[in-house]
Amino acid sequence: GSSALALLAHCLDDVPTLVPMLLARFTVDLMRPLPVGRPLRVDSRVRREGKKLQLVEMALLDGDMECVLASALRLRDQAVPDDQLLPGGSSDGPPSTHFAPPEGSLNMRDLRPEPSGALLASDICKAPRTEAAPGATWVRMLVPVVAGEPVRANARMAYCFDFASLVGLEVDITTVSMINPDVSAHVLRPAVGEWISLSGDTRVHAPVGRSMSSAEARDERGVFAYVSASQIVEPLPS
């Protein structure tokens, strides 16, 4: 999921706008698994073009098969004059005021002598949950999204959004499967710095085999986005 989100966000930057714009909402439907080792294609279409907003639909394809669909809303980038400033939000402030920093968290590579998957592409650290602070996941990308090209800000940000799934929940992956078929983020501003943290809650409702997650995404300055995801819950064969 993270890799697909990062690739789509990377390609979004190649879609021109009439005026300077910033990502405001990014919604992705993960319909099918992506193949490894085969060429993929990203198709983009502007559904609404304007000077205040732009709506872009994107598809990530394996041949003619659509595997991932995305919708990106971009809004004009225009500062509010000083005499019209609004009050700050209730969640302003750096992550260090909420939970342990990456260097004080458990790096998931320490649990896997031979890392694979996402651990080859990123640092993933788990901040401990305490009575005074919620748990959190720290993520930092380590490799380019597209070989030979620098990592773009939108791609670095979108890569982390998928880690909102199952946030705040301890799951025994040997007994239950909880796969997220979607991710949606509302973005206040571009993220800054390399590390992004996600903290929040996941709610499970066994009678319908579903769960949902909601997370705050923070960078070194504070909250910059809210992310949500759904999960399909299924017990694994014993």
Side-chain angles (χ1 to χ4, degrees):
S2 292
S3 300
L5 267 65
L7 179 58
L8 287 163
H10 176 97
C11 294
L12 176 65
D13 285 349
D14 294 328
V15 179
T17 58
L18 297 178
V19 298
M21 289 190 172
L22 295 173
L23 183 63
R25 192 202 69 235
F26 194 53
T27 299
V28 179
D29 292 307
L30 304 161
M31 302 188 299
R32 296 180 179 86
L34 288 169
V36 177
R38 292 208 300 265
L40 301 174
R41 185 177 84 253
V42 175
D43 287 347
S44 303
R45 179 172 67 139
V46 177
R47 289 295 305 269
R48 172 69 168 87
E49 187 74 274
K51 293 185 178 181
K52 290 188 177 181
L53 68 87
Q54 181 194 64
L55 182 62
V56 183
E57 289 183 345
M58 310 179 75
L60 182 53
L61 299 98
D62 171 25
D64 294 328
M65 181 72 71
E66 291 182 336
C67 297
V68 183
L69 297 179
S71 172
L73 174 67
R74 298 199 278 193
L75 302 179
R76 59 98 181 96
D77 179 9
Q78 181 177 326
V80 176
D82 291 342
D83 59 354
Q84 298 179 27
L85 284 177
L86 300 175
S90 59
S91 298
D92 290 349
S96 59
T97 63
H98 298 271
F99 34 76
E103 56 270 20
S105 303
L106 174 64
N107 194 310
M108 300 307 292
R109 293 186 181 187
D110 294 340
L111 302 179
R112 297 187 183 181
E114 299 181 0
S116 60
L119 291 177
L120 296 176
S122 56
D123 275 326
I124 305 171
C125 300
K126 296 288 187 178
R129 180 186 294 270
T130 66
E131 292 184 2
T137 300
W138 288 98
V139 184
R140 176 176 64 174
M141 286 189 66
L142 299 176
V143 301
V145 177
V146 176
E149 297 188 24
V151 177
R152 299 174 179 178
N154 275 340
R156 184 185 303 279
M157 183 168 57
Y159 180 84
C160 300
F161 289 158
D162 193 56
F163 288 88
S165 182
L166 303 183
V167 65
L169 187 68
E170 297 295 331
V171 182
D172 183 354
I173 60 174
T174 64
T175 61
V176 65
S177 169
M178 301 180 72
I179 298 174
N180 63 298
D182 80 325
V183 180
S184 187
H186 281 87
V187 184
L188 176 64
R189 57 171 174 81
V192 296
E194 291 186 332
W195 285 100
I196 290 175
S197 68
L198 295 117
S199 59
D201 295 294
T202 296
R203 298 180 182 274
V204 182
H205 191 63
V208 296
R210 291 253 316 272
S211 61
M212 63 179 186
S213 302
S214 178
E216 292 180 332
R218 287 181 171 89
D219 59 12
E220 60 193 42
R221 295 180 183 173
V223 174
F224 68 88
Y226 286 89
V227 191
S228 60
S230 303
Q231 294 90 29
I232 299 172
V233 181
E234 294 181 326
L236 295 176
S238 56

